[in-house]
Amino acid sequence: MSFEINGKAFSQAPRAGQCLRTFLRELGHFGVKKGCDAGDCGACTVLLDGEPVHSCLIPAFRAEGRNVTTIEGLGADHGAHPMQQAFLAAQGFQCGFCTAGMILTCASLNQAQRTDLGTALKGNICRCTGYRSIEDAVLGKSNVEGSVEAGAAFGRSLPAPAGPDIVRGKARYTFDTAIEGLLHIKLLRSPHAHARIVAIDKSDALRVAGVLAVLTHEDAPSVLISTARHEKDWMDPEDTRVLDDVVRFVGQKVAAIVAESEAAAEEACRRLKVDYEILPALIDPEQAMAPGAPLVHPDRTTANRVADAQRNLVAETHGEFGDVAAALATSAVTYEGTFHSHRVQHAALETHGGLAWLDDAGVLNVRTSTQVPFLTRRALSDIFELPLDKVRVFCERVGGGFGGKQEMFVEDILALATLKTGRPVKLELTREEQFIATSTRHPMRVHIEAGADADGKLTALQLDVLSNTGAYGNHAGPVMFHAMAESISVYNCPNKRVDGAAVYTNTVPAGAFRGYGLPQALIAVEAAIDELASQLGISPYEMRRRNIVRPGDPMLSPPPSEFHDVVYGSYGLDQCLDLVERAMQAEGPQPDLPPEWLIGDGVALTMIDSAPPAGHLADAVVALNDDGGFDLTVGTAEFGNGTSTVHRQIAATTLATTVDRIRLHQSDTAHGGHDTGAYGSAGMFVAGKATHAAAMQLATELKAAAASAWLCDVASCTLEAEAVVSGVRRMSFVELARLARERGEPLAAHGHSDGTPRTVGFNVQGFRVAVNKGTGELRILRSVQAADAGIVANPMQCRGQVEGGVAQALGAALYEEMAIDADGRVINAKFRDYHLPSFADVPRTEVLFAETTDTIGPLGAKSMSESPYNPVAAALGNAIADATGIRFTAPPFKPDRLFPALLDKFGS
């Protein structure tokens, strides 16, 4: 057989049944990505005789005699293809995992197809961008700024440093490498929601050719851990084992097969014989706390940081300021309602997975898709009793995270397998495993009571939250606490009460997800604000203006917090409200809709702390090189959050150079230092401050070195255009580097940030919707979000973060929903049955920025990664209520969910 790939002939023959995607990757074409293996996401798109196809669906032998073009060959020998250049100019990517397939599809479109991108791009999913920048690329619009003078990078729309490699398919993600002697891991998973493993018969599995090991709970450390990764271990319960003899949800790992091939490992999984003792299972969180309910973790105690295992209670909180009951009794208007939020999957296109091996020095190396390499190293060191310097964890570019990769779902198994076999190993979760065995957003029941006086001032706010953490308590407490914190502390109110419980059930675990509990609570809180305003005849905007906190006001939610480091680094919430109200009132295209369509507007706001409590640490090192450029080393990871771009902007601005002179090294524990991780809105706010501190210190040292050479006062020296200047004297960075080399004193500096004090960010979302009262169909006519991000470090990139957050939140608010049956089984564990937003689903969002300068964040900036997600579902719910007069309390707001209530009110 012969194949022509990117104009080059290959004589290798595919294996029987092999798909084109795996065949191309085995030949080194790593630009062809694996996202779903079902033809649903488009990450594996290639051109077959010029036509885009999903290579995971094409048998490799069918490509014989045909021209196959991957992203690496699109530009051939003529440099970048025009579509690759267009994606660079528009910055039509964030994490970049989908970009190769997206570019190949876009490059194949004719003029007619470009007029209907919703149809043309229906086979390619992007989870990050919100699609606006992709449309800009197809339309030839440029969003990046041209050359920027030295020292002026911050605040400019500069491109991502990895951009050229991303659009050419050269950027390397977790599995984009070849390792000799690699073994493959496949996991046998539980078919039961709750069972005790009585016995495992390995004999048939071990007889499969190529199988080296069958690992069970008998082979794994028995230490209790949490898959959640936080700087402080006390934030999460110790309730999980690497491999356990009790399974608590359908999909929990039972055994790991290590074999020479994936096929052998899968066959061995089928041959394993497991004898289970079936235990009673809990699916409903309401029943979990009922007297006599089955216990999910009966042997856990408060020593394991579990609040009350005998009530299936992982964490709880209760507190009150003032007297809520008395305030409600005397309020002019009150509102009471119960809201339910549902399970949502992160759906990062790169699934969890990694590679592990032992190097010649006996160091355990783990290359993985993670947001928290340093915390994962610490966990592996503890679990396997290895010295910290004998564990290295690092990530290349990560294909999406959204909080789901603030967990340790695969690294422990990888370490166990390579320590047992001494061989390099690979574990890559399938898309189904991602759904059934990682984590989701916490489903919550939120009951709210609220009151206001006749002038529209809030008199009482009361939240009662029941959070379903699933079978394990990773992030259970922090998510619940966070849900009830900023959601009500953004409002001034003399009487507040919260009661919260996070409970175990025998369902897939919940975990960290963008927004971290706030989206679930805000649906209720912001609905209550609107309902009170409606009763009083006050506009929703004015109701919020009368009650929002302002500088000088305490930001309070009960019970009192032990952390008192949140301050107003800057304040732009009032501006955000004004910006959204003006934008929503501005004249725009009037929809031409029949009378059965009802139109309404909705608004919601959010406040978020710019880092987690209790410390979030980051180190950075910057060093002057012989060529006058700089090496910048940080620990934070890049997964579309833009830290790679912004860290270079911070350093270049502080050191009076250009971003191309900053060479960035990141997300590798071998580089030294420490970084808690890119989560909790800390990637720029905390790690960026470390970079700024390091650059400031190096700037001081550069001036001191020049002053020493000139025998002048260092106070007379400044940095200008890649040199130190004092009066008429000028010493370039190249000269300084030579001087330092001659003295044997390299010029380098370290910066550290401990994440405190913390500032707050604000976002306001507005929607105009149309609802068909006869069918329940919903259309978004207008979407506006205003954000207070301080000095916006990179306007183009920050706008993309907002657009991506809105798009992802709309998916959750409108149609995304993990369905779980009565036996605790996820029944829609693939993209085809789980509606992710495609190009046609996402409206354009107008993004506006408040004009503020943060006194705490690096160069006046603050975070803007997860907060754009938070107010979206709440604003959409308010818009639907405004249009229909019906308060819907349980997203997703699908037509079939809206229709019954519309039928009751309006008839047929």
Side-chain angles (χ1 to χ4, degrees):
M1 302 182 78
S2 63
F3 296 84
E4 186 173 295
I5 303 169
N6 299 331
K8 180 181 177 182
F10 287 83
S11 59
Q12 288 93 329
R15 298 186 301 278
Q18 186 174 26
C19 73
L20 182 58
R21 180 190 65 79
T22 59
F23 182 56
L24 291 170
R25 285 184 62 82
E26 286 178 3
L27 294 175
H29 300 287
F30 293 126
V32 185
K33 300 293 188 243
K34 173 185 175 180
C36 66
D37 267 345
D40 296 329
C41 74
C44 68
T45 300
V46 301
L47 300 183
L48 199 58
D49 291 336
E51 292 295 319
V53 298
H54 292 170
S55 61
C56 68
L57 297 180
I58 305 293
F61 76 88
R62 293 192 179 276
E64 185 180 18
R66 304 176 71 180
N67 292 322
V68 179
T69 304
T70 72
I71 191 67
E72 293 94 339
L74 184 62
D77 297 326
H78 310 295
H81 183 276
M83 189 56 68
Q84 291 170 317
Q85 293 173 333
F87 266 71
L88 263 184
Q91 291 285 280
F93 52 84
Q94 284 183 23
C95 84
F97 198 80
C98 73
T99 305
M102 192 76 71
I103 287 175
L104 286 163
T105 298
C106 292
S108 71
L109 302 180
N110 59 37
Q111 286 301 115
Q113 290 171 314
R114 293 187 183 201
T115 64
D116 184 8
L117 291 178
T119 298
L121 298 181
K122 65 181 180 180
N124 291 84
I125 290 171
C126 175
R127 189 57 160 167
C128 296
T129 65
Y131 297 103
R132 187 270 312 162
S133 61
I134 292 171
E135 181 180 21
D136 286 352
V138 176
L139 299 179
K141 181 178 178 181
S142 178
N143 295 317
V144 302
E145 291 193 47
S147 59
V148 174
E149 62 272 20
F154 200 79
R156 311 291 282 274
S157 293
L158 300 184
D165 284 345
I166 287 172
V167 302
R168 296 296 297 272
K170 295 180 179 179
R172 291 293 173 252
Y173 295 79
T174 307
F175 297 107
D176 296 342
T177 186
I179 297 179
E180 287 294 321
L182 187 67
L183 301 177
H184 298 268
I185 301 172
K186 284 293 179 180
L187 298 170
L188 179 71
R189 297 190 178 278
S190 169
H192 306 295
H194 199 190
R196 185 178 308 280
I197 298 171
V198 177
I200 300 179
D201 184 351
K202 305 177 182 180
S203 55
D204 281 356
L206 287 168
R207 280 193 283 269
V208 175
V211 171
L212 275 74
V214 177
L215 304 174
T216 70
H217 63 273
E218 295 173 340
D219 305 290
S222 60
V223 61
L224 285 169
I225 60 171
S226 174
T227 62
R229 298 290 89 220
H230 282 111
E231 182 63 40
K232 306 295 185 182
D233 289 339
W234 56 257
M235 289 188 171
D236 302 286
E238 295 171 331
D239 59 7
T240 308
R241 289 192 169 99
V242 177
L243 290 166
D244 207 332
D245 62 346
V246 176
V247 290
R248 297 178 175 87
F249 68 98
V250 177
Q252 181 171 331
K253 55 187 183 289
V254 172
I257 308 293
V258 189
E260 298 283 357
S261 68
E262 289 190 29
E266 288 177 351
E267 177 60 22
C269 279
R270 287 188 284 268
R271 295 194 187 188
L272 272 177
K273 297 182 178 68
V274 185
D275 183 12
Y276 294 100
E277 175 195 349
I278 307 302
L279 301 173
L282 276 171
I283 308 303
D284 185 347
E286 297 281 356
Q287 297 174 2
M289 295 176 65
L295 300 181
V296 181
H297 292 274
D299 54 345
R300 302 293 177 257
T301 69
T302 53
N304 304 121
R305 300 189 286 274
V306 175
D308 188 348
Q310 303 310 305
R311 292 192 295 146
N312 291 309
L313 193 61
V314 192
E316 67 177 328
T317 186
H318 306 280
E320 184 170 16
F321 296 150
D323 189 333
V324 168
L328 288 170
T330 58
S331 295
V333 291
T334 61
Y335 173 76
E336 182 175 2
T338 301
F339 295 75
H340 292 86
S341 59
H342 55 299
R343 293 185 187 277
V344 180
Q345 234 292 319
H346 304 83
L349 290 192
E350 182 187 44
T351 61
H352 283 79
L355 304 158
W357 66 92
L358 293 167
D359 64 22
D360 292 341
V363 174
L364 171 66
N365 288 261
V366 181
R367 170 176 170 151
T368 181
S369 183
T370 183
Q371 296 171 228
V372 285
F374 287 82
L375 299 188
T376 301
R377 176 182 66 163
R378 189 167 71 194
L380 295 178
S381 172
D382 292 342
I383 293 168
F384 296 101
E385 298 181 337
L386 297 171
L388 207 57
D389 63 358
K390 288 296 183 181
V391 183
R392 175 197 179 202
V393 177
F394 68 102
C395 52
E396 300 292 342
R397 196 168 180 89
V398 176
F402 316 117
K405 294 174 181 175
Q406 192 196 337
E407 306 268 4
M408 188 177 65
F409 289 131
V410 297
E411 294 87 352
D412 52 352
I413 290 291
L414 284 161
L416 177 66
T418 202
L419 290 171
K420 290 288 187 180
T421 65
R423 296 269 299 276
V425 295
K426 171 186 177 182
L427 173 57
E428 182 177 12
L429 298 193
T430 65
R431 181 54 58 186
E432 180 182 6
E433 287 178 301
Q434 196 74 17
F435 271 94
I436 70 171
T438 58
S439 64
T440 73
R441 188 172 72 169
H442 284 78
M444 288 187 187
R445 182 216 69 202
V446 181
H447 182 81
I448 187 165
E449 293 184 67
D453 65 20
D455 294 324
K457 294 289 290 182
L458 289 172
T459 55
L461 280 173
Q462 177 168 308
L463 285 180
D464 187 332
V465 172
L466 177 63
S467 177
N468 181 358
T469 194
Y472 294 93
N474 35 307
H475 298 277
V479 165
M480 179 191 67
F481 299 140
H482 197 238
M484 294 186 291
E486 290 103 298
S487 62
I488 60 173
S489 59
V490 72
Y491 288 110
N492 271 319
C493 180
N495 305 287
K496 294 179 181 179
R497 179 179 175 85
V498 300
D499 294 280
V503 299
Y504 287 122
T505 59
N506 294 111
T507 57
V508 58
F513 197 111
R514 197 174 195 172
Y516 213 67
L518 281 175
Q520 297 97 303
L522 286 170
I523 295 175
V525 173
E526 293 298 296
I529 300 298
D530 260 32
E531 293 291 342
L532 295 175
S534 177
Q535 293 180 55
L536 292 167
I538 300 172
S539 86
Y541 294 95
E542 181 58 28
M543 185 72 182
R544 287 168 173 80
R545 288 191 185 96
R546 294 182 188 184
N547 291 285
I548 54 174
V549 293
R550 298 180 184 274
D553 295 336
M555 295 175 277
L556 296 176
S557 59
S561 173
E562 62 183 289
F563 305 106
H564 304 287
D565 60 340
V566 179
V567 300
Y568 296 96
S570 67
Y571 181 86
L573 181 53
D574 51 353
Q575 292 183 52
C576 290
L577 279 167
D578 293 344
L579 288 166
V580 170
E581 185 174 29
R582 284 198 297 267
M584 294 295 293
Q585 292 174 345
E587 286 296 321
Q590 297 301 309
D592 184 17
L593 296 172
E596 64 266 23
W597 287 88
L598 307 170
I599 297 177
D601 285 6
V603 64
L605 60 81
T606 184
M607 177 178 76
I608 192 168
D609 298 342
S610 285
H616 195 104
L617 312 178
D619 291 313
V621 175
V622 62
L624 178 65
N625 291 326
D626 288 349
D627 64 358
F630 299 88
D631 276 322
L632 172 62
T633 302
V634 297
T636 190
E638 172 63 62
F639 50 94
N641 50 348
T643 56
S644 295
T645 313
V646 172
H647 280 272
R648 295 204 316 168
Q649 288 179 264
I650 292 170
T653 299
T654 308
L655 293 168
T657 188
T658 53
V659 291
D660 60 297
R661 305 287 285 161
I662 306 292
R663 289 180 284 274
L664 185 66
H665 313 274
Q666 64 186 126
S667 55
D668 188 338
T669 62
H671 292 157
H674 178 75
D675 191 285
T676 297
Y679 69 87
S681 303
M684 180 184 70
F685 180 76
V686 178
K689 288 180 70 175
T691 289
H692 187 225
M696 288 286 287
Q697 180 59 35
L698 183 57
T700 298
E701 294 184 16
L702 293 175
K703 289 184 283 188
S708 175
W710 289 329
L711 300 177
C712 73
D713 185 357
V714 70
S716 69
C717 297
T718 59
L719 298 189
E720 294 178 13
E722 301 186 10
V724 177
V725 176
S726 177
V728 297
R729 290 173 294 197
R730 185 179 190 276
M731 185 177 293
S732 72
F733 291 162
V734 172
E735 293 172 297
L736 276 168
R738 184 173 64 249
L739 178 64
R741 186 172 62 253
E742 291 170 352
R743 292 178 174 178
E745 299 173 354
L747 287 166
H750 168 258
H752 176 77
S753 174
D754 57 11
T756 186
R758 296 175 286 158
T759 187
V760 285
F762 301 99
N763 298 72
V764 176
Q765 174 70 44
F767 282 117
R768 179 165 298 138
V769 304
V771 181
N772 189 310
K773 63 183 179 183
T775 66
E777 181 185 354
L778 185 147
R779 297 181 186 176
I780 296 176
L781 306 179
R782 195 159 201 170
S783 173
V784 180
Q785 187 167 131
D788 171 18
I791 298 293
V792 181
N794 187 310
M796 169 188 65
Q797 183 173 279
C798 194
R799 178 186 175 197
Q801 287 289 304
V802 175
E803 291 167 337
V806 172
Q808 191 176 42
L810 278 174
L814 290 173
Y815 30 73
E816 290 184 47
E817 183 177 24
M818 287 179 65
I820 294 182
D821 67 15
D823 297 320
R825 189 181 311 274
V826 179
I827 60 176
N828 61 335
K830 51 183 180 290
F831 283 162
R832 189 158 301 182
D833 299 326
Y834 180 86
H835 185 166
L836 285 174
S838 65
F839 184 96
D841 296 317
V842 179
R844 281 223 170 193
T845 293
E846 183 180 356
V847 179
L848 307 167
F849 293 114
E851 295 183 3
T852 66
T853 300
D854 199 82
T855 58
I856 301 171
L859 297 176
K862 54 187 173 184
S863 62
M864 196 49 57
S865 54
E866 59 181 329
S867 57
Y869 185 107
N870 296 345
V872 170
L876 190 64
N878 285 342
I880 295 170
D882 185 51
T884 65
I886 303 170
R887 174 60 63 183
F888 293 94
T889 58
F893 303 120
K894 301 178 181 180
D896 62 324
R897 305 280 179 87
L898 304 186
F899 175 75
L902 292 168
L903 181 63
D904 285 347
K905 180 170 183 176
F906 299 106
S908 59

